[in-house]
Amino acid sequence: MPRKLAAVLLGLLLFPVVAASARSTPDTGKPDPSVTTGVVRSTIALPLADDVLPVGVPVLFAGEASYDGPVAKRVTAVDISFDAGRTWLRAQGTGPWSIEHAFTAPGARSVISRATAEDEVEVWQTALPLHAGTGPLPKLACERCEFWQPNRGDTRYLRIDDDPRPVELGIRFAVDRPGHITGVLGYNFYDQGRGERVGRLWSADGKLLAEAGPATWFSNEFTFDTPVPVRPGQTYVASYYTPYGRYPVTARHFTATTVRAPFITRPNAGVYRYADEGPVPESGGFPDKSFEASYYWTIPIFAPTR
């Protein structure tokens, strides 16, 4: 028999044995979690690739995980490595998941997420490259960049607060590069109460930089007539006033620094002020109070300088 044909036949005979041993442990016969028959996937949505993170302060990492296979399985754990796979930490939640981590020294970093769905472990893991301390700014894929945050794994994602009082809802933020704030998104559609909805941009000390009404009565976007130039490292507050109350909120979201270029926020970034506490009743005012590290779904819109 020719040698090549013999080798092929030998391989065919041995393959089922090798495949079987790869899918079960010799001691128990149970499935080996290092080999997957379905597809377990995890992604990191916060921060983004090549983002520059501060050193010495907790930063929020968050993402999603899922399983796609012939048998329905639930994701049971997500582990995160902040040192390119040498050690692993268990994240909170599964899909979504989140974890806070502080880098202690500057330099290039590689972060990996790994999901487990019952007895199967994610095999193909993609490292997320980051910079701690200093590094080149990542390229932006957006001309119109909206502040956005993924779900956390340890909080209730979003609810509508039924407080009907008129209120100014905002977010305290910075940017990592020069550009302009062109407007604000404020997700509130209730049509009860008095007064008009207004979107605003403020300096950190409460100086009003711009304001605008909605394009239409049902619009949630407030576009400034003149875009406001903003500088990296400076803190700004984007807000919108709603005379109707009943606003969307996610509690305990801003418990750590978040970085998702071009935006940076610090803990307790969500801020508010009730209208009756402002200088002019029923017209809002500079929001400077925080509660339970809440996120009020106020979204600044940034246009980078090209």
Side-chain angles (χ1 to χ4, degrees), residues 109-133:
R109 296 289 183 268
S110 183
V111 180
I112 306 172
S113 62
R114 181 182 67 191
T116 301
E118 298 181 12
D119 57 352
E120 297 189 28
V121 177
E122 184 175 6
V123 174
W124 304 110
Q125 301 143 13
T126 302
L128 180 74
L130 297 168
H131 301 278

Side-chain angles (χ1 to χ4, degrees), residues 44 74 85 88 99 115 123 137 140 145 185 187 215:
I44 301 175
R74 62 186 182 90
W88 296 86
I99 190 172
V123 174
L137 290 178
L140 295 181
C145 305
L185 289 168
Y187 287 96

Side-chain angles (χ1 to χ4, degrees), residues 28 36 49 60 65 75 82 87 90 105 110 114-116 161 173 185 196 204 227 237 246 250 253 264 301-302 306:
T28 65
T36 179
L60 177 64
V75 177
F82 295 99
T87 60
R90 180 61 49 88
S110 183
R114 181 182 67 191
T116 301
D161 194 303
F173 70 97
L185 289 168
E196 296 292 333
V237 176
R246 298 184 176 88
T250 300
H253 182 85
I264 304 165
I301 304 169
F302 175 82
R306 297 298 186 183

Side-chain angles (χ1 to χ4, degrees), residues 181-182 209-210 223-229:
I181 298 298
T182 62
L209 302 177
T223 302
F224 303 138
D225 290 337
T226 302
V228 180

Side-chain angles (χ1 to χ4, degrees), residues 156-274:
R156 182 178 177 181
Y157 179 44
L158 183 149
R159 66 181 178 87
I160 301 299
D161 194 303
D162 60 4
D163 186 345
R165 287 188 291 172
V167 65
E168 186 105 15
L169 302 163
I171 183 167
R172 191 183 293 122
F173 70 97
V175 294
D176 64 1
R177 69 198 69 205
H180 293 78
I181 298 298
T182 62
V184 180
L185 289 168
Y187 287 96
N188 182 288
F189 297 95
Y190 291 93
D191 58 359
Q192 301 172 357
R194 294 179 296 172
E196 296 292 333
R197 293 180 299 136
V198 181
R200 297 183 171 109
L201 182 70
W202 314 78
S203 65
D205 58 1
K207 179 183 178 181
L208 182 62
L209 302 177
E211 66 178 359
T216 60
W217 70 269
F218 57 84
S219 174
N220 61 359
E221 183 169 343
F222 308 88
T223 302
F224 303 138
D225 290 337
T226 302
V228 180
V230 289
R231 296 184 297 171
Q234 299 292 316
T235 299
Y236 301 91
V237 176
S239 68
Y240 75 99
Y241 169 70
T242 169
Y244 323 128
R246 298 184 176 88
Y247 47 85
V249 59
T250 300
R252 296 180 298 280
H253 182 85
F254 289 118
T255 59
T257 293
T258 75
V259 178
R260 198 172 194 270
F263 296 102
I264 304 165
T265 66
R266 302 297 181 183
N268 296 308
V271 288
Y272 72 95
R273 177 184 289 272
Y274 285 111

